[in-house]
Amino acid sequence: MERRRIAKVAVDKTAFSFDKLFSYAVPQGMEPVPGGRVLVPFGRGNKPRQGMVFSLEPDSGEETLKPLLKVIDREPLLDQNLIQVVRFLVSHTFCTYYDAVRAALPNGINFQVAPVYSLTKPIGEIDAEALSEQEGLLVQFLKNPRSENEVADFLQCEDKARRQEALNRLMEQGVAQKTDELKRKVGDQSIRMVRVAEGFEPGEKLSKKQAEVMNLLAQTGTASVREVCYFCGVTEAVLKNLQKRGAVAYYDRETYRTPYKNKEAVSGDEIVLSPSQRKVYDGLTGLCRDEHPAVALLHGITGSGKTQIFLKLIQQAVARGKQAVMLVPEISLTPQMVAKFQQTFGSRVAVLHSGLSMGEQLDEWKRMKRGEADIVVGTRSAVFAPLNNIGLIIMDEEGEYSYKSENAPRYHAREVAKLRCVQSSCLLLLASATPSVDSYYHAKKGDYKLFTLNERYKNAKLPDVRIVDLKTVEKAGFQAISQELADELHYNLSHKEQSILLLNRRGYNTFASCVECGQVLTCPNCSVAMTYHKANGYMMCHYCGYAQRPVQTCPSCGSGHVRLSGLGTQRVEDEVRQLFPDARILRMDTDTTYSRYAYEQNFDRFRAGEYDILVGTQMIAKGLNFPDVTLVGVVSADQSLYANDFRCSERTFSLITQVVGRSGRGEKLGRALIQTYTPENPVIQFAARQDYEAFYLDEIESRRALLYPPFCDICAVGFSGDSDDKTRRAAQAFLELLKQAARAMEFSSPLKALGPVPAGVFKVNNKYRYRLVIKCRAQKEFRRLMRAALKEAGNAPEFQKIGLFADVNGEL
């Protein structure tokens, strides 16, 4: 007799406080697979839920277990390596198992459990005379299966109670039933095909059109319905008649929804590396061929040709029969990178990022899973690509914070990439002109191999950079543009050269305030200033989306002197347009790039010379190559410099250095102007000189003195709720609970807790927010402590209706 088995299952929609791998009995004849999904009964009501099987184990028979209801996947979606990645996310990011599973799969593959009501037998076999009036109405209604929502709508009438009783009686009598169906969010896309039917022998004469169709199919074997109709000049009615005669057969062939067209590789010249590039490439190639886990950091100045090295390394990996993953930080950089990769590798390249439709994400994932694509280009989520023979992972602009997820699971792509490289015994290459301070520290220590590129590709020169002190210079009659910057823009326009203006704040004016009392107009739902958008004439909140017309009267003191102030990209565009009416100006921020292909189309048009000046936020600052850009203007270098985060210096230096690096990448020398009210600030001085080494030395000493990463880890525990007082008390209670858990566990490592204090943005969408910041070493012992405290809080009454999360090295 076959011994029963137990399935260890991660169940969807479980609370963190009781989340674990649940045990279910595997019924005889049912064949679940680890890494595949199942349907399970859950909770006291045994409501069906999705689950992911992590392992199958022998049943000891010591406990009575609920059985699995249904196997959803016959083949595993997650292999053992990705199951290990899911376990890593659970242990390191304080999320539930199914949160981690969901991160590792494309959104379009998810199912929804949908209750459906139907009759148990044909309507003709039901004794209509034995039914009440309400039961008869329900039987007629349920001739076709109905969803739970449809049945609920049918019950909403004056006789609602009687109809509900009638439905219950029908189910008790076995006439009607309620079943749970699985509906996938996105179906497979297919093409209707036609072929000659097996064994068909034409017995009677075919019409001329039918004969043309049969001749075409005899030559091609199979073709789409559309192709047959087009090439034979017939309608589908001809095919339908042939099907009735048994001459042809229809079938569906799955096809892919491809996000990027023209996937054929273009043969061209071999990538030629400069001597400095060759030296770096040879060193990295040696690490790749060792086939041992390793991390390397490539620090190359802007325009030094890092992408050429990436392409050569991936060529080498693919030649060895390996797969490669290329991560980029922003969706805006994906089209440019994909174009370069497709030109070299053609249809072997798959693309994965959140800007794709669910169907496109699903189909690209299937291409990777089936081995039809062995090179993946994408943003953070591409680190979960279903590849089983990885030879190289590259993270471009590795210091960008967009690689860190701000929602559960709160992982950093770099840490997941490290695990995947250990699993595959391959190289993780981190690369940037402005590496994160943490990564550069580890490279200097020798934890990572360090490679540098100190010269631009093809002997291009770094731009000439000047700092403009906004306290002393003459403005060009406007708020955003100094006279010096206006002169440089005029020069570029007259010489047919392109310019970029960076301001990392969208909108027209960033706040409205009362001249009399100083009151700033804030969002009624959030504790942030409203931003004026001239394009639609509304004051808008960039957190919750609330919008209203600009006020004429101060809501605090009643004064009629309300003034719009502050700079946004719309204001910069407007001022430049007034200065240069004939200039062709393109603005790029989240207000202008909401369509799916806006990034690609706008960048292509700018590169083609359709615009003279590009105004935008950080999306235009990194990784882009525009050979005709010879001027970059940083409109305000101070906006991010004094934020409430220890990383503000690093982010400001990176942003300025990167955008300045967009200038002078072609044959002409570039220039850059940095407008600031604090020209003496060391960060701005370092960025103007493009001197990363000096910035790093200054920053690392500051972090050492103040005990910030990389000299410790920082765990931020967040609390949110409808009541300020209740949320604050919950945060204080958690601190006490954490202390008690530490004492109970005899926790020995030093911890330093700061707070709890109001979050940087105290209220968002009518939720009050507090933060508890803990300086620690986020190793196994601390993670066990934090996990125990979070589970305890989930069951405590003072945390009811309080949002709670913990995030290691995330936003403070």
Side-chain angles (χ1 to χ4, degrees):
M1 181 176 178
E2 183 181 355
R3 190 175 183 182
R4 286 204 318 162
R5 293 177 298 166
I6 291 176
K8 293 290 187 178
V9 180
V11 180
D12 192 13
K13 299 178 182 176
T14 57
F16 183 86
S17 58
F18 59 83
D19 182 61
K20 63 177 183 178
L21 292 180
F22 295 89
S23 297
Y24 285 90
V26 180
Q28 292 287 341
M30 191 175 285
E31 295 295 332
V33 291
R37 292 168 299 178
V38 290
L39 200 63
V40 299
F42 194 80
R44 293 180 181 175
N46 288 324
K47 189 171 183 179
R49 291 192 188 179
Q50 289 181 78
M52 174 68 72
V53 178
F54 273 59
S55 63
L56 296 171
E57 302 174 359
D59 185 359
S60 63
E62 296 178 359
E63 57 179 328
T64 302
L65 300 175
K66 297 177 183 179
L68 301 178
L69 298 177
K70 183 176 183 179
V71 172
I72 299 175
D73 302 304
R74 300 295 174 182
E75 300 291 333
L77 300 181
L78 303 179
D79 62 16
Q80 286 302 314
N81 280 344
L82 283 174
I83 288 177
Q84 185 183 3
V85 168
V86 168
R87 291 182 183 273
F88 171 86
L89 294 178
V90 170
S91 66
H92 285 71
T93 70
F94 314 113
C95 68
T96 67
Y97 275 95
Y98 216 85
D99 280 339
V101 167
R102 198 175 288 109
L105 293 175
N107 195 26
I109 207 169
N110 292 326
F111 281 92
Q112 292 177 327
V113 181
V116 173
Y117 292 85
S118 61
L119 300 177
T120 59
K121 49 186 149 182
I123 194 168
E125 298 179 12
I126 298 174
D127 185 0
E129 294 183 358
L131 302 177
S132 69
E133 178 184 357
Q134 296 297 333
E135 290 171 344
L137 287 172
L138 278 162
V139 166
Q140 290 298 319
F141 177 69
L142 295 176
K143 282 194 299 185
N144 299 315
R146 303 287 185 172
S147 70
E148 189 173 42
N149 289 337
E150 289 176 316
V151 172
D153 290 340
F154 184 78
L155 297 177
Q156 293 295 328
C157 65
E158 294 180 1
D159 294 330
K160 175 182 177 180
R162 292 171 58 196
R163 282 190 178 181
Q164 183 65 62
E165 292 173 2
L167 178 62
N168 293 337
R169 285 197 301 272
L170 288 176
M171 289 193 289
E172 289 169 2
Q173 296 165 12
V175 176
Q177 63 182 354
K178 179 183 178 181
T179 57
D180 292 293
E181 290 189 1
L182 291 169
K183 294 184 179 180
R184 206 168 77 187
K185 285 186 176 181
V186 177
D188 296 326
Q189 182 166 284
S190 61
I191 297 177
R192 194 71 166 156
M193 304 291 291
V194 64
R195 56 178 168 77
V196 178
E198 291 185 13
F200 172 71
E201 295 290 342
E204 59 183 273
K205 188 175 181 180
L206 300 175
S207 70
K208 182 179 178 180
K209 290 185 176 180
Q210 289 175 336
E212 286 183 14
V213 170
M214 297 305 292
N215 287 335
L216 176 66
L217 293 178
Q219 295 173 26
T220 62
T222 182
S224 70
V225 171
R226 180 180 295 180
E227 288 172 331
V228 172
C229 292
Y230 177 77
F231 286 110
C232 296
V234 299
T235 65
E236 193 176 350
V238 176
L239 295 176
K240 293 288 187 183
N241 288 329
L242 285 170
Q243 183 191 33
K244 290 177 182 178
R245 296 177 60 175
V248 301
Y250 282 98
Y251 68 98
D252 291 323
R253 186 185 73 191
E254 185 180 356
T255 185
Y256 295 128
R257 289 153 284 209
T258 54
Y260 296 96
K261 308 298 181 182
N262 303 320
K263 289 200 166 190
E264 293 306 314
V266 178
S267 59
D269 297 333
E270 177 70 15
I271 299 170
V272 178
L273 302 180
S274 67
S276 58
Q277 287 176 314
R278 171 61 62 177
K279 182 179 179 181
V280 169
Y281 170 73
D282 289 342
L284 292 170
T285 300
L287 291 176
C288 289
R289 288 179 174 162
D290 281 347
E291 296 194 356
H292 291 294
V295 181
L297 174 64
L298 172 55
H299 175 216
I301 63 172
T302 55
S304 57
K306 294 184 288 293
T307 303
Q308 285 91 339
I309 294 176
F310 301 160
L311 291 169
K312 290 282 284 186
L313 288 171
I314 291 175
Q315 281 180 332
Q316 174 254 114
V318 171
R320 292 187 293 115
K322 299 289 187 177
Q323 301 161 320
V325 179
M326 178 78 219
L327 300 177
V328 294
E330 301 276 355
I331 294 174
S332 60
L333 300 181
T334 311
Q336 177 178 286
M337 191 66 75
V338 169
K340 291 177 181 177
F341 273 63
Q342 287 183 346
Q343 188 174 13
T344 305
F345 302 108
S347 59
R348 303 172 74 170
V349 179
V351 184
L352 205 58
H353 60 74
S354 60
L356 306 181
S357 69
M358 286 196 295
E360 288 171 339
Q361 291 182 50
L362 175 61
D363 288 352
E364 289 293 89
W365 182 88
K366 287 190 291 188
R367 290 179 61 228
M368 301 176 226
K369 182 77 172 170
R370 295 167 180 171
E372 297 171 23
D374 48 16
I375 301 165
V376 180
V377 179
T379 50
R380 181 178 64 221
S381 59
V383 77
F384 301 109
L387 305 177
N388 56 19
N389 190 24
I390 299 173
L392 175 67
I393 299 179
I394 301 173
M395 285 184 66
D396 193 20
E397 305 299 349
E398 67 86 26
E400 287 303 300
Y401 194 73
S402 53
Y403 282 122
K404 180 75 167 67
S405 171
E406 295 182 0
N407 299 306
R410 292 175 169 83
Y411 67 94
H412 196 295
R414 181 176 55 237
E415 303 310 310
V416 178
K418 285 180 183 178
L419 173 59
R420 300 211 68 183
C421 287
V422 169
Q423 293 171 335
S424 300
S425 295
C426 68
L427 173 67
L428 169 61
L429 175 58
L430 311 175
S432 180
T434 54
S436 68
V437 170
D438 295 51
S439 292
Y440 202 70
Y441 172 79
H442 288 296
K444 285 289 193 180
K445 275 183 62 182
D447 299 333
Y448 305 162
K449 302 291 185 181
L450 179 61
F451 297 86
T452 58
L453 284 172
N454 293 321
E455 59 185 43
R456 279 191 153 186
Y457 187 57
K458 292 184 177 180
N459 297 317
K461 303 297 182 183
L462 284 171
D464 174 34
V465 183
R466 302 197 303 277
I467 297 176
V468 179
D469 186 351
L470 292 178
K471 297 191 301 291
T472 60
V473 301
E474 176 188 359
K475 296 287 183 66
F478 299 101
Q479 187 176 353
I481 308 299
S482 67
Q483 186 62 55
E484 192 169 349
L485 180 54
D487 292 341
E488 293 292 344
L489 288 168
H490 181 269
Y491 176 89
N492 263 28
L493 289 168
S494 62
H495 287 76
K496 308 297 183 184
E497 297 173 12
Q498 292 179 305
S499 307
I500 289 178
L501 298 178
L502 170 75
L503 180 66
N504 202 24
R505 187 75 61 85
R506 63 190 175 104
Y508 193 85
N509 294 111
T510 54
F511 66 95
S513 60
C514 176
V515 175
E516 301 295 334
C517 70
Q519 176 72 30
V520 174
L521 178 65
T522 58
C523 171
N525 307 318
C526 310
S527 57
V528 294
M530 302 275 282
T531 299
Y532 175 62
H533 287 248
K534 188 178 181 182
N536 61 11
Y538 278 88
M539 300 291 296
M540 300 184 69
C541 174
H542 290 171
Y543 281 80
C544 72
Y546 175 83
Q548 68 177 61
R549 292 292 184 186
V551 299
Q552 305 300 321
T553 303
C554 174
S556 178
C557 70
S559 167
H561 298 93
V562 177
R563 180 175 58 192
L564 293 170
S565 305
L567 285 174
T569 48
Q570 291 182 17
R571 176 67 177 267
V572 174
E573 178 191 20
D574 192 38
E575 291 190 6
V576 174
R577 202 175 295 283
Q578 292 179 57
L579 275 168
F580 308 106
D582 297 328
R584 298 168 300 168
I585 303 169
L586 171 64
R587 175 168 57 87
M588 286 191 65
D589 51 35
T590 53
D591 295 324
T592 63
T593 54
Y594 45 79
S595 67
R596 290 182 53 207
Y597 299 109
Y599 297 107
E600 186 175 4
Q601 292 167 355
N602 285 337
F603 286 142
D604 284 348
R605 292 169 68 186
F606 185 69
R607 188 177 291 106
E610 295 183 27
Y611 295 98
D612 304 308
I613 301 172
L614 173 60
V615 178
T617 55
Q618 64 166 358
M619 67 176 62
I620 68 170
K622 303 176 179 69
L624 299 167
N625 185 26
F626 302 119
D628 292 329
V629 170
T630 58
L631 173 65
V632 165
V634 180
V635 175
S636 176
D638 306 313
Q639 285 187 330
S640 60
L641 194 52
Y642 303 104
N644 187 27
D645 192 297
F646 71 91
R647 302 180 189 89
C648 62
S649 294
E650 179 180 352
R651 292 178 182 174
T652 301
F653 175 85
S654 176
L655 184 62
I656 296 174
T657 302
Q658 292 279 3
V659 74
V660 166
R662 299 314 105 202
S663 178
R665 299 171 75 93
E667 297 179 358
K668 297 179 181 178
L669 183 64
R671 298 108 61 215
L673 271 70
I674 302 173
Q675 297 187 159
T676 174
Y677 285 100
T678 56
E680 69 285 352
N681 189 291
V683 174
I684 292 174
Q685 292 287 337
F686 295 143
R689 300 201 304 265
Q690 302 274 285
D691 191 345
Y692 177 84
E693 189 71 28
F695 164 76
Y696 167 78
L697 292 174
D698 184 75
E699 181 68 12
I700 200 69
E701 288 308 313
S702 173
R703 294 196 185 186
R704 192 192 309 271
L706 298 172
L707 192 60
Y708 280 121
F711 303 103
C712 74
D713 293 305
I714 291 184
C715 180
V717 186
F719 310 85
S720 64
D722 297 332
S723 163
D724 178 5
D725 184 59
K726 185 177 179 181
T727 307
R728 177 177 47 79
R729 283 190 281 110
Q732 292 170 338
F734 184 86
L735 178 59
E736 292 304 315
L737 190 153
L738 188 65
K739 291 177 181 177
Q740 294 171 12
R743 286 193 291 269
M745 292 173 57
E746 298 182 352
F747 188 80
S748 58
S749 300
L751 296 178
K752 185 175 183 179
L754 309 174
V757 295
V761 180
F762 177 47
K763 187 172 74 167
V764 174
N765 212 5
N766 289 315
K767 295 285 186 181
Y768 296 89
R769 311 194 307 167
Y770 282 84
R771 291 286 186 273
L772 175 65
V773 177
I774 304 168
K775 291 185 177 181
C776 60
R777 278 294 181 191
Q779 296 172 340
K780 186 175 181 179
E781 185 184 18
F782 172 79
R783 296 197 304 269
R784 189 162 64 91
L785 169 66
M786 182 56 65
R787 195 169 188 85
L790 290 169
K791 283 183 175 289
E792 183 70 23
N795 296 315
E798 57 263 49
F799 292 92
Q800 296 301 308
K801 297 184 180 180
I802 295 293
L804 176 62
F805 71 86
D807 187 9
V808 175
N809 294 331
E811 291 281 7
L812 297 186

